[in-house]
Amino acid sequence: MTGNGTGDTEALREEIRRTRVELGETMELLAAKADVKARLKDSAEQAKVRMREQAALTVARVRGQAAEKARGARAQAYDKGEAVRRRPVPWAAVAAVAAGAVATVVVLLIVRGRRR
């Protein structure tokens, strides 16, 4: 203690100022907790953000799967094309099958005509 008491007064004033600041911060926190409407709005906003993130991840996953399936389909089509190019159906075989079909139709028409 000093003889005039000014040191204690200044320290007390500083303590009061800090207490007021702390009390103001506490009041702001309590007011924020008591503001149900604002808390619900924040909660809804957070839910929206989570849903958007989840939707983006799902879209990316589905696109990746679709791209993988498309690559597989293209590879299969290419393989089938290569197989056909390596072993094409001989024209003689195609002609024989066509001639057999025509002969079958002719025979059926003749047999049907005789029954009338």
Side-chain angles (χ1 to χ4, degrees), residues 4-24:
N4 60 9
T6 58
D8 288 334
T9 307
E10 288 302 317
L12 188 57
R13 285 185 179 151
E14 180 60 28
E15 172 101 15
I16 291 170
R17 189 191 66 73
R18 276 193 310 254
T19 303
R20 284 182 180 161
V21 169
E22 289 175 8
L23 182 60

Side-chain angles (χ1 to χ4, degrees), residues 37-53:
K37 186 176 178 181
R39 289 176 61 195
L40 286 174
K41 185 177 178 182
D42 288 344
S43 178
E45 192 61 37
Q46 290 173 359
K48 276 194 238 179
V49 168
R50 282 193 308 272
M51 292 305 290
R52 285 185 184 132
E53 289 172 352

Side-chain angles (χ1 to χ4, degrees), residues 34-114:
D35 190 0
V36 175
K37 186 176 178 181
R39 289 176 61 195
L40 286 174
K41 185 177 178 182
D42 288 344
S43 178
E45 192 61 37
Q46 290 173 359
K48 276 194 238 179
V49 168
R50 282 193 308 272
M51 292 305 290
R52 285 185 184 132
E53 289 172 352
Q54 191 173 18
L57 289 173
T58 301
V59 166
R61 183 173 38 90
V62 168
R63 282 185 179 160
Q65 289 173 348
E68 184 64 34
K69 296 287 183 184
R71 278 192 293 275
R74 279 194 295 271
Q76 263 187 342
Y78 180 78
D79 291 344
K80 296 288 184 189
E82 284 297 310
V84 167
R85 282 189 278 283
R86 280 191 299 254
R87 289 182 288 143
V89 177
W91 284 107
V94 172
V97 170
V102 169
T104 303
V105 169
V106 169
V107 169
L108 288 175
L109 290 175
I110 291 173
V111 169
R112 188 174 173 204
R114 287 187 182 172

